[in-house]
Amino acid sequence: MAAQELTGAEIVIKALVDQGVDTIFGYPGGAVLPIYDALFQQNKIRHILVRHEQGAVHAAEGYARSTGKPGVVLVTSGPGATNAVTGLTDALMDSIPLVCLTGQVATHLIGNDAFQECDTVGITRPCTKHNWLVNSAKELTRVMHEAFYVATNGRPGPVVIDIPKDVQFQKAEYVGPQNVVHKTYRPKVKGDIEAIKAAVDLIATAKKPIFYTGGGIINSGPFASQLLREFVQLTGFPITSTLMGLGAYPASDKQWLGMLGMHGTYEANNAMHDCDVMINIGARFDDRVTGRIDAFAPNSKKIHIDIDASSINKIIHADIGIVGDAGHVLEDMIRIWKSKAVKIDKSALADWWRQIDHWRDRRSLDYKKSDEIIKPQYAIERLYQLTKDRETYITTEVGQHQMWAAQHYHFEKPNRWLTSGGLGTMGYGLPAAIGVQIAHPDALVIDIAGEASIQMCIQEISTAMQFMAPVKIFILNNEYMGMVRQWQELLHGGRYSHSYSESLPDFVKLAEAFGAVGIRAKTPGELDDKIKQMIDTPGPVVFDCVVDKFENCYPMIPSGAAHNEMILGDDPEAAMVTEEGKMLV
């Protein structure tokens, strides 16, 4: 096909269309007006106007995480680009594929402290997989297509293309995406077959095995989740997951131990500590999972499967490291397992399950019920029961409510749980929910929030109203920055320094000011009817769920402790206990 000559702005739009982009999230400004003009003159891409550039990136994250396609962001130079940095860092930490287009001052002004100029490439280098400053429209076609390749191949992540304003006016030939590769970035997808065989042999010797899975399974795609389920059921082994991996394995299955880590279940954390063979698939051994490094699963052999070679042996030594895509490696592993007709030690595995069931009997997620005040765990449980049979997506802000949601809302499918894991970004949930809702207009999308976190990006209710995205904002309102208050109570002598949420808005009136619907529940008896009202309301809803102010999120592994040193909420003095029940503090 003959090359077309287009302006730089037209090249951007043409490349987006050719990459299959149907939605972008952005905010206009002087340095991107030529691109916005080209956007105005086409009808294949829908633009969602946010109220803050951070919201644009989080919305694109929600879109990407729920669809498996890259999210696209368009912002202007200077403050437009710097406002996007939090979202870009969030996406990098959680491996979310994004392409962020930023405007830049004209090339002859770069370095002159021009109006709304900043060093976008320098600022975003630490928080992106790669970035480009495009100096000529002739480079733009190649860079646009390379950007999508880099963002989506290997370990996914965000990229930035910084486009000076004069480049957007220049004309150059456009060529569609044909066999796009990057000259240096060639991620390895297939795992080393000899390492996979060695892993299968090691798994076969296990007496106390456990699968430890992460977001890499979900990033690999639905087929990887199906393969995970097949392999786990083939072995009969227990499985746990990080916060980012929830939904890759069905929570209703008997082999599921729940989430592990700082606020994971008693059985998951003790099984991790006592296992003899750990199969890590798509998780990066982050500090919220490992606890004290020298006490992390001290007697286990560790298999680590990750598409990012730099993650292998970065934090925890792997006895067998396999670099490759989780889906491809699982496919080979299952094939080899079946071809070898592997025989596991069924007697040892039965003993292991008896031990796990003993830990399960501790019922670590139980809490004291109340007929007078809404317990936050109860609110999540009722929300789950009333929405589990629908096509439901859950996003969260960050804090206690996030952990309660992870503990008490149960996911059967991947890509239904969207939260800020690595960066822990307050303000993530609402714009992410909008991104999900735009991608899945007929689904029920709920942002589980705290009254402090929701205020970080609350202006995005206006975006939801403009584009008729009927997101539901379910606020667990305890009038505190709850996780901050909890740590202050447990570790700082109850000195609640600036953690009380003073001068809160009336969330019902605030919703109405935006044109949305506000609902409030204060007692357990009215909760179900109010949740049903929220679900049945056609537009955006802000649900102010007034909960116990002083409820803490348990179980909890204190910072610097091992997996078998957990604080359990039903202990009279929140004492730390070992698996044998011995008090430590």
Side-chain angles (χ1 to χ4, degrees):
M1 182 182 294
Q4 299 172 265
E5 189 170 80
L6 304 172
T7 67
E10 290 169 340
I11 288 172
V12 168
I13 300 303
K14 178 65 174 170
L16 293 176
V17 171
D18 285 352
Q19 288 289 342
V21 174
D22 55 23
T23 305
I24 63 175
F25 302 87
Y27 202 95
V32 283
L33 287 185
I35 297 175
Y36 269 90
D37 189 52
L39 193 60
F40 184 83
Q41 298 180 62
Q42 58 81 52
N43 57 10
K44 293 182 179 179
I45 298 175
R46 185 184 188 190
H47 178 274
I48 305 299
L49 177 67
V50 297
R51 273 42 179 181
H52 191 284
E53 290 88 353
Q54 180 181 342
V57 186
H58 293 326
E61 286 186 274
Y63 179 94
R65 189 75 174 176
S66 66
T67 64
K69 301 193 297 183
V72 180
V73 177
L74 176 59
V75 298
T76 195
S77 63
T82 58
N83 281 346
V85 164
T86 296
L88 292 170
T89 309
D90 189 272
L92 184 70
M93 294 282 279
D94 287 345
S95 305
I96 310 300
L98 298 182
V99 175
C100 180
L101 308 169
T102 60
Q104 183 55 275
V105 300
T107 51
H108 70 277
L109 293 175
I110 292 175
N112 289 331
D113 296 329
F115 177 67
Q116 290 194 330
E117 180 193 359
C118 72
D119 180 7
T120 301
V121 167
I123 289 169
T124 62
R125 185 172 288 121
C127 61
T128 55
K129 279 185 73 176
H130 195 55
N131 59 20
W132 295 261
L133 172 61
V134 182
N135 292 306
S136 166
K138 293 178 181 179
E139 303 174 17
L140 198 49
T141 292
R142 172 185 60 81
V143 170
M144 286 293 296
H145 297 316
E146 273 188 11
F148 280 88
Y149 174 85
V150 173
T152 57
N153 281 270
R155 180 179 177 178
V159 299
V160 163
I161 307 173
D162 198 32
I163 312 173
K165 190 168 184 177
D166 57 326
V167 172
Q168 298 170 42
F169 285 114
Q170 292 172 9
K171 285 197 170 185
E173 289 187 343
Y174 173 80
V175 180
Q178 298 172 351
N179 302 317
V180 177
V181 293
H182 189 272
K183 60 184 177 182
T184 58
Y185 183 61
R186 305 285 179 87
K188 185 179 178 183
V189 175
K190 296 284 287 184
D192 179 76
I193 202 68
E194 294 304 316
I196 294 173
K197 289 177 180 177
V200 168
D201 290 340
L202 177 57
I203 293 169
T205 69
K207 310 294 183 185
K208 297 188 287 185
I210 191 166
F211 283 97
Y212 155 38
T213 59
I217 291 281
I218 293 172
N219 287 338
S220 181
F223 187 51
S225 294
Q226 294 172 19
L227 291 170
L228 174 67
R229 296 171 192 215
E230 180 182 352
F231 195 37
V232 171
Q233 290 165 13
L234 196 62
T235 62
F237 294 174
I239 177 171
T240 183
S241 165
T242 66
L243 181 73
M244 297 304 294
L246 295 178
Y249 192 84
S252 61
D253 190 80
K254 62 183 180 180
Q255 290 170 245
W256 172 247
L257 304 188
M259 183 178 71
L260 83 159
M262 180 170 283
H263 292 286
T265 66
Y266 189 63
E267 55 268 30
N269 282 328
N270 276 308
M272 282 287 282
H273 184 272
D274 282 9
C275 71
D276 67 345
V277 174
M278 178 190 302
I279 308 112
N280 175 339
I281 309 174
R284 57 186 176 86
F285 289 114
D286 71 282
D287 61 293
R288 291 294 169 119
V289 164
T290 60
R292 196 169 80 242
I293 294 293
D294 62 0
F296 177 69
N299 301 312
S300 70
K301 297 287 186 182
K302 300 174 182 70
I303 299 164
H304 189 186
I305 301 165
D306 203 296
I307 198 161
D308 184 356
S310 70
S311 289
I312 307 291
N313 295 320
K314 179 180 180 180
I315 297 169
I316 297 292
H317 170 72
D319 296 277
I320 299 175
I322 303 171
V323 178
D325 174 78
H328 286 279
V329 174
L330 277 169
E331 190 172 27
D332 286 338
M333 196 169 273
I334 291 169
R335 177 177 51 80
I336 293 167
W337 182 276
K338 289 179 177 178
S339 68
K340 288 190 171 188
V342 174
K343 302 293 184 184
I344 60 174
D345 188 334
K346 292 185 178 180
S347 176
L349 185 60
D351 288 342
W352 181 226
W353 272 113
R354 276 190 285 273
Q355 175 61 71
I356 289 171
D357 287 339
H358 173 69
W359 289 323
R360 273 177 167 163
D361 289 341
R362 193 68 175 80
R363 299 180 64 85
S364 62
L365 297 183
D366 280 3
Y367 58 95
K368 293 179 180 177
K369 305 288 196 299
S370 172
D371 294 328
E372 299 177 357
I373 190 168
I374 300 173
K375 293 288 185 174
Q377 303 95 320
Y378 178 74
I380 301 296
E381 287 176 356
R382 297 314 305 154
L383 184 68
Y384 168 69
Q385 289 298 331
L386 294 169
T387 60
K388 65 179 181 178
D389 296 327
R390 295 170 174 261
E391 185 71 5
T392 304
Y393 293 80
I394 299 294
T395 71
T396 77
E397 308 294 335
V398 170
Q400 284 179 320
H401 62 273
Q402 176 191 30
M403 294 297 106
W404 282 317
Q407 292 172 341
H408 297 280
Y409 201 103
H410 310 294
F411 297 92
E412 300 295 304
K413 299 177 182 179
N415 305 103
R416 302 302 191 275
W417 164 252
L418 302 95
T419 195
S420 174
L423 193 61
T425 307
M426 294 173 72
Y428 168 89
L430 173 54
I434 293 170
V436 176
Q437 192 79 77
I438 294 298
H440 306 277
D442 297 326
L444 176 62
V445 183
I446 303 171
D447 171 29
I448 297 176
E451 86 292 329
S453 276
I454 191 59
Q455 294 186 78
M456 289 283 186
C457 286
I458 202 163
Q459 71 281 346
E460 300 306 331
I461 297 175
S462 181
T463 302
M465 291 301 302
Q466 179 178 345
F467 294 95
M468 296 308 296
V471 296
K472 316 302 180 188
I473 305 165
F474 192 76
I475 302 171
L476 299 183
N477 186 350
N478 59 11
E479 298 183 7
Y480 277 95
M481 300 174 204
M483 195 61 82
V484 174
R485 184 203 57 76
Q486 178 169 335
W487 282 66
Q488 288 173 335
E489 176 183 320
L490 298 178
L491 302 175
H492 298 280
R495 293 180 292 278
Y496 302 126
S497 178
H498 300 282
S499 57
Y500 180 61
S501 298
E502 297 186 66
S503 301
L504 282 175
D506 181 323
F507 287 109
V508 171
K509 290 181 179 178
L510 185 65
E512 293 168 352
F514 278 107
V517 172
I519 300 172
R520 180 175 292 116
K522 292 184 176 181
T523 63
E526 64 181 333
L527 190 56
D528 276 23
D529 287 343
K530 294 289 182 71
I531 291 175
K532 291 174 185 175
Q533 180 187 348
M534 176 190 76
I535 295 168
D536 293 338
T537 299
V541 175
V542 179
F543 190 116
D544 185 15
C545 187
V546 180
V547 300
D548 189 337
K549 294 182 183 181
F550 303 109
E551 189 76 5
N552 284 337
C553 185
Y554 295 119
M556 176 181 174
I557 302 175
S559 182
H563 273 78
N564 63 342
E565 300 171 348
M566 301 180 69
I567 298 176
L568 300 178
D570 55 357
D571 290 316
E573 297 179 0
M576 206 182 303
V577 297
T578 66
E579 62 187 69
E580 294 83 14
K582 178 182 176 183
M583 297 294 178
L584 296 179
V585 294

